[in-house]
Amino acid sequence: MVKGSIKSVDLGKSLLVINQKLKNEVVDRELSILDTTQFVVTKAGQKKELLGKDGLRLLEGAEGSQVNVQCDKDVNVLKVTVTVK
């Protein structure tokens, strides 16, 4: 599980960049979003569940929001859970 905050979203490259705190420093993690990546996004009290780029599109403009990312052993992104502030 990777936890952090959203730094940027790149729909063209299907990339989600998050700031992850490791010990005493913050590092950028670039995560490639697959067509099968599940998104659970809570925005204004409403929960939406989408896959792939459709889910990534919901995160545009959500920089700074807390995110939890579940990956498999090969670091493929399986699930992204976000509550947009």
Side-chain angles (χ1 to χ4, degrees):
M1 181 78 75
V2 177
K3 294 182 179 185
S5 61
I6 298 173
K7 180 176 181 182
S8 65
V9 173
D10 187 336
L11 281 174
K13 296 180 183 174
S14 291
L15 271 183
L16 174 63
V17 182
I18 66 170
N19 290 325
Q20 182 183 16
K21 191 171 186 177
L22 293 175
K23 296 185 182 173
N24 295 330
E25 62 181 344
V26 176
V27 296
D28 290 351
R29 293 281 306 259
E30 288 190 2
L31 301 168
S32 296
I33 302 303
L34 308 171
D35 292 338
T36 55
T37 301
Q38 179 184 7
F39 283 83
V40 179
V41 180
T42 305
K43 201 174 199 176
Q46 291 187 322
K47 187 174 174 181
K48 294 184 179 180
E49 295 189 28
L50 294 168
L51 293 176
K53 278 192 177 183
D54 292 333
L56 188 60
R57 191 170 285 115
L58 284 178
L59 301 183
E60 284 186 305
E63 288 80 5
S65 296
Q66 292 301 306
V67 62
N68 292 333
V69 181
Q70 184 179 351
C71 300
D72 66 11
K73 62 179 174 43
D74 297 322
V75 197
N76 293 313
V77 179
L78 301 175
K79 184 175 182 178
V80 178
T81 307
V82 180
T83 300
V84 177
K85 35 176 170 172

